[in-house]
Amino acid sequence: MAAISRQRAVSRSTHVHLPPFESLVDAHAHELHRFLVGLVGPNDAEDCLQETYMSALRAYPKLRHAENLRAWLYTIAQRKATDALRRHHRRPTSELDGHEPVAPAVSLPEDDALWARVRQLPSKQRTAIVHRFVLDLAYEQIGERMGTSEEAARQNVSTGLRRLRREVTA
Amino acid sequence: MNDDLERLLSGGPSPVPDLDSARLRQRLAERAAAAGLLDVAYGEHDSPLGPLMLFVTPKGILRLSYPGEPIDAQVAEVAAVVSPRLLRAPERTDAVRRQLDEYFGGSRRTFDLAVDWRLVYGFAAEVLRATARIPFGRVSTYREVAAEAGSPRAYRAAGNALGSNPIPIVVPCHRVLHAGGGLGGYTGGLDRKRYLLELEGSYRR
């Protein structure tokens, strides 16, 4: 069995050798989940992760190379998070009707309120901040995963931080 | 620029709920299968002959393996030969598992399962197809299956084909013996061959 299929495997690998999709779930599901909790919050993170893996599975055999599958998954996850946030913003917030908007915090808000603000940031700043603070990545790695330079990654983080700082002290 | 804001952000939002990876996998496998995106599913099944690894595709059972070969190597091989769209999804193998239980429990004599033959080629495929036609409770010889496969003299090649049977038990290579009555060989070891033949009433110690 082993010898027969290895022969055949070699003849196919002249194309692209993609690892079993299973290994992408094993290796990245937990970290992607943390990334998505940062981006969309704990309630929607698992659904976004499902959508991420479904899209990845759909596109998988068409990949032209198997380098940096991790960055590829993060790109998809980022897109799914953006879709989810967009849906949320469109959703009517009936439970808030008739209430005054909550006054902006004077001092720094607690974790969740702060992350709710992170989720309102423009997509690139939001994603860069999640990479930086949730996954603790260096700017070079953030650049790799977002397909930008290290410098652009640094810029995205600092612009986002400046904006947050303005908002929480407003 | 290490200020309160950065300190508050570090570590991410809390509490971060744990990912229920079993649920993620199960839902993913279900949705992928429904969308036609799951090319191979695999799972383990406990049997009287030890834990069996089962691989199934939409075409049928692709592979059944006895303990021994590392699972990662098997998975990588199946991914390379059949498709990388492969997930561990034991619930997709339920039909096979049920029939194996019935077979080992004595209530099933023939497997009502489609077979995916993509792991076998050429003469070996002919030999295994001929083997699949040997009924429960009967035995054949290497020479006979070679003849059935179209080359009566190629009984050594037939032996090799049976030794590399990717779907033992279901494709009953244990029913092929030496012409003189000797057991011959078996992919899972001779003890397992004896066990299966006894189960089928074809062998007495």
Side-chain angles (χ1 to χ4, degrees), chain A residues 1 4-6 8 12 21-22 26 33 46-47 50-51 57-58 60-61 108 111-112 115 133 161 165, chain B residues 3-4 9 11-14 17 23-25 27-28 31-32 77 81 84-88 121 164:
Chain A
M1 162 65 208
I4 298 170
S5 52
R6 208 159 286 137
R8 171 80 167 247
R12 289 221 353 190
F21 194 80
E22 172 74 20
D26 282 340
H33 182 246
E46 198 179 314
D47 280 345
Q50 273 288 329
E51 296 304 324
L57 189 59
R58 199 178 299 275
Y60 198 46
L108 290 174
D111 290 353
D112 276 353
W115 280 94
F133 293 100
L161 286 178
R165 214 170 274 127
Chain B
D3 61 6
D4 277 357
L9 285 171
S14 62
R23 187 173 60 195
L24 172 80
R25 285 165 180 286
R27 276 183 62 204
L28 181 64
R31 294 182 60 201
E77 242 173 73
V81 178
R85 275 178 178 160
L86 172 154
L87 287 173
R88 180 158 51 74
Y121 320 99
S164 62

Side-chain angles (χ1 to χ4, degrees), chain A residues 1-6 8-9 12 17-23 25-26 29-30 33-34 37-38 42-43 46-47 49-51 53-54 57-62 108-112 114-115 118-119 129 132-134 139 158 160-162 164-165 168, chain B residues 1 3-21 23-28 31-32 35 37-39 42 63 69 72 75-89 118-121 124 163-166:
Chain A
M1 162 65 208
I4 298 170
S5 52
R6 208 159 286 137
R8 171 80 167 247
R12 289 221 353 190
H17 179 71
L18 295 166
F21 194 80
E22 172 74 20
S23 65
V25 182
D26 282 340
H30 282 276
H33 182 246
R34 279 174 57 215
V37 170
N43 294 332
E46 198 179 314
D47 280 345
L49 187 56
Q50 273 288 329
E51 296 304 324
Y53 276 119
M54 278 297 286
L57 189 59
R58 199 178 299 275
Y60 198 46
K62 290 173 251 158
L108 290 174
E110 286 303 304
D111 290 353
D112 276 353
L114 178 59
W115 280 94
V118 171
R119 286 169 207 132
I129 283 183
R132 178 76 190 90
F133 293 100
V134 179
Y139 292 111
S158 67
L161 286 178
R162 217 176 305 133
L164 279 176
R165 214 170 274 127
V168 296
Chain B
M1 226 180 58
D3 61 6
D4 277 357
L5 180 60
E6 293 190 40
R7 191 175 46 75
L8 278 175
L9 285 171
S10 64
S14 62
V16 177
D18 275 343
L19 172 64
D20 184 341
S21 54
R23 187 173 60 195
L24 172 80
R25 285 165 180 286
Q26 194 174 345
R27 276 183 62 204
L28 181 64
R31 294 182 60 201
L37 299 176
L38 184 55
D39 296 339
Y42 73 94
R63 181 165 188 185
E69 210 181 320
D72 286 355
V75 168
E77 242 173 73
V78 169
V81 178
V82 177
S83 165
R85 275 178 178 160
L86 172 154
L87 287 173
R88 180 158 51 74
R118 275 181 287 177
L119 294 179
V120 289
Y121 320 99
S164 62
N165 177 10

Side-chain angles (χ1 to χ4, degrees), chain B residues 18-185:
Chain B
D18 275 343
L19 172 64
D20 184 341
S21 54
R23 187 173 60 195
L24 172 80
R25 285 165 180 286
Q26 194 174 345
R27 276 183 62 204
L28 181 64
E30 265 170 34
R31 294 182 60 201
L37 299 176
L38 184 55
D39 296 339
V40 188
Y42 73 94
E44 206 180 53
H45 180 62
D46 276 327
S47 81
L49 297 181
L52 309 175
M53 198 56 72
L54 309 172
F55 291 78
V56 299
T57 76
K59 291 184 177 166
I61 181 163
L62 177 80
R63 181 165 188 185
L64 182 161
S65 59
Y66 286 119
E69 210 181 320
I71 179 62
D72 286 355
Q74 297 185 52
V75 168
E77 242 173 73
V78 169
V81 178
V82 177
S83 165
R85 275 178 178 160
L86 172 154
L87 287 173
R88 180 158 51 74
E91 61 286 350
R92 312 298 312 172
T93 66
D94 281 352
V96 179
R97 297 169 64 176
R98 196 166 47 246
Q99 294 198 22
L100 284 169
D101 280 344
E102 290 164 1
Y103 169 78
F104 283 115
S107 65
R108 173 175 289 278
R109 295 165 65 94
T110 54
F111 289 101
D112 186 16
L113 294 170
V115 172
D116 185 336
W117 294 100
R118 275 181 287 177
L119 294 179
V120 289
Y121 320 99
F123 182 64
E126 294 308 315
V127 169
L128 291 172
R129 283 174 198 272
T131 304
R133 293 192 292 267
I134 308 170
F136 182 102
R138 299 274 295 279
V139 292
S140 186
T141 65
Y142 293 99
R143 212 175 284 273
E144 278 169 6
V145 291
E148 276 286 306
S151 303
R153 292 172 174 208
Y155 59 92
R156 273 179 216 284
N160 291 337
L162 293 162
S164 62
N165 177 10
I167 324 168
I169 307 177
V170 174
V171 175
C173 57
H174 59 275
R175 292 175 194 157
V176 183
L177 312 175
H178 275 311
L183 277 179

